[in-house]
Amino acid sequence: MSDQYTMQDPTTQYPGPDESFEQQQEGPGLQGEMAPKPDSGESSYRGSGRLEGRRAVVTGADSGIGRATAIAYAREGADVVLSYLPQEEPDAREVVELIEAAGRRAVAVPGDVTDKAYCEQLIATAVAELGGIDILANIAGKQQHCPDILELTDEQFDETYKTNVYAMFWLCKAAVPHLPPGSAIINTSSIQGYQPAPILLDYASTKYAINGFSKSLAAQLAPKGIRVNVVAPGPVWTPLQVVGGQPAEKLPEFGASEAPLGRPGQPAEMAPAYVFLASQESSYVSGETLAATGGMPTP
Ligand code: NAD
Ligand code: MG
């Protein structure tokens, strides 16, 4: 079992991809049905009181990077409101149990972030249940590959932008009136926000938008003592990739050739970045994008 505490060679910390990575599920997909199973730090993440008493909202909290972040936040001492799609209830139940096992409150609020009313209700529920919000981690995202602009439908373009960009706007807008000085917003870009793949036209462009939005909002909210930052993951083994994020036949090489570290990342390797940017340790960091890309360079 790997962890983030034992010094070791990062190129071999987790296995590289192989034929077993070739698998497909219907969207949004379940982490519980993936094999090999992503590591979201379920049995490894150790907290050290860095988010004691904080109240966090995490979208996409059922699986992948959001799941790893929700687990880490709880083990660092935060209560967590979890957003995810109703079809993801089996994954979300496990996260609720892990948060409760850490002695923290988990408030599950399933719904669709492409619906503005749901985004507003998610924030209102967090305020009502936890008494306020100190951390908003926007991690939900949609990625569907499409090789040709002529085949990219208006419906997909709209849904990708609604999920990745509009939901972030709606959630930030609803949360800001409730965010005290010292609170943090963390959005999720990607290596695709710097090196756009030709098959990810809609997705990659949302990830550029997320970076720009976050840098502007960071400057706007700085006088209020609210910090806004971004995490930009590289190729990470999550459900997103097996529901059409990548062509199925590419999965046996996922992360191997493009990342200098020679393997895909695991969600557990992303969570520490979300913890750092949420905690007071990053008090002088705002408008930054922290890349965790397996060595793929960003500007
Ligand atoms: P994931 O599938 O585990 O998480 C994505 C989550 O988004 C889902 O669990 C789902 O709950 C949520 N979601 C999607 N559409 C939604 C909707 N309409 N309403 C509510 N929730 C919705 O995959 P992940 O890779 O952990 O993705 C998390 C974030 O990381 C995404 O923003 C993704 O773009 C980003 N990212 C992932 C990678 C990667 O290689 N996996 C790389 C860079 C960035
Ligand atoms: Mg999921």
Side-chain angles (χ1 to χ4, degrees):
M1 184 65 218
S2 187
D3 65 58
Q4 305 326 117
Y5 312 99
T6 310
M7 183 172 162
Q8 59 190 296
D9 180 347
T11 66
T12 52
Q13 184 168 347
Y14 285 100
D18 59 26
E19 314 73 60
S20 69
F21 278 57
E22 189 167 342
Q23 54 198 274
Q24 285 296 294
Q25 291 184 38
E26 288 282 301
L30 289 175
Q31 182 149 329
E33 289 179 8
M34 287 175 74
K37 212 174 204 183
D39 180 4
S40 288
E42 293 89 343
S43 58
S44 59
Y45 191 90
R46 281 186 233 153
S48 55
R50 294 198 286 168
L51 300 175
E52 205 58 59
R54 306 291 217 288
R55 302 156 298 183
V57 175
V58 179
T59 68
D62 57 296
S63 60
I65 297 166
R67 175 186 181 102
T69 300
I71 293 167
Y73 280 1
R75 292 190 187 159
E76 294 291 354
D79 293 331
V80 185
V81 170
L82 303 100
S83 167
Y84 53 92
L85 286 163
Q87 307 94 287
E88 299 175 302
E89 194 63 37
D91 278 350
R93 273 301 114 203
E94 294 175 354
V95 182
V96 166
E97 281 170 25
L98 289 165
I99 291 171
E100 289 173 351
R104 307 309 317 187
R105 274 196 73 196
V107 181
V109 188
D112 185 340
V113 295
T114 67
D115 174 5
K116 181 182 179 182
Y118 166 75
C119 290
E120 292 172 345
Q121 181 219 324
L122 176 64
I123 296 300
T125 305
V127 171
E129 292 287 327
L130 304 183
I133 303 173
D134 307 302
I135 301 164
L136 170 62
N138 287 310
I139 306 182
K142 177 183 167 70
Q143 174 183 334
Q144 281 292 313
H145 76 276
C146 179
D148 187 342
I149 189 171
L150 301 182
E151 288 166 19
L152 182 57
T153 63
D154 287 3
E155 289 71 27
Q156 174 171 329
F157 193 85
D158 193 50
E159 205 176 308
T160 304
Y161 268 77
K162 288 270 162 55
T163 309
N164 298 5
V165 180
Y166 280 68
M168 169 185 67
F169 167 58
W170 291 328
L171 289 164
C172 289
K173 190 172 181 177
V176 162
H178 304 284
L179 294 177
S183 59
I185 295 172
I186 301 115
N187 295 324
T188 305
S189 182
S190 169
I191 186 63
Q192 291 296 325
Y194 298 101
Q195 296 182 28
I199 62 168
L200 295 175
L201 182 60
D202 52 338
Y203 176 82
S205 57
T206 66
K207 295 299 174 177
Y208 277 78
I210 291 165
N211 265 330
F213 175 95
S214 302
K215 287 174 198 301
S216 175
L217 189 64
Q220 190 183 113
L221 297 182
K224 293 184 198 286
I226 302 167
R227 295 179 300 104
V228 183
N229 288 290
V230 183
V231 177
V236 181
W237 183 236
T238 68
L240 186 89
Q241 303 296 353
V242 305
V243 300
Q246 299 291 331
E249 67 277 10
K250 291 268 194 234
L251 290 170
E253 301 142 42
F254 181 63
S257 52
E258 66 267 38
L261 288 176
R263 61 167 178 86
Q266 293 289 333
E269 298 177 286
M270 305 295 121
Y274 288 89
V275 169
F276 171 68
L277 294 172
S279 85
Q280 204 59 32
E281 289 174 321
S282 58
S283 53
Y284 206 56
V285 180
S286 196
E288 170 63 342
T289 302
L290 206 172
T293 57
M296 295 165 83
T298 58

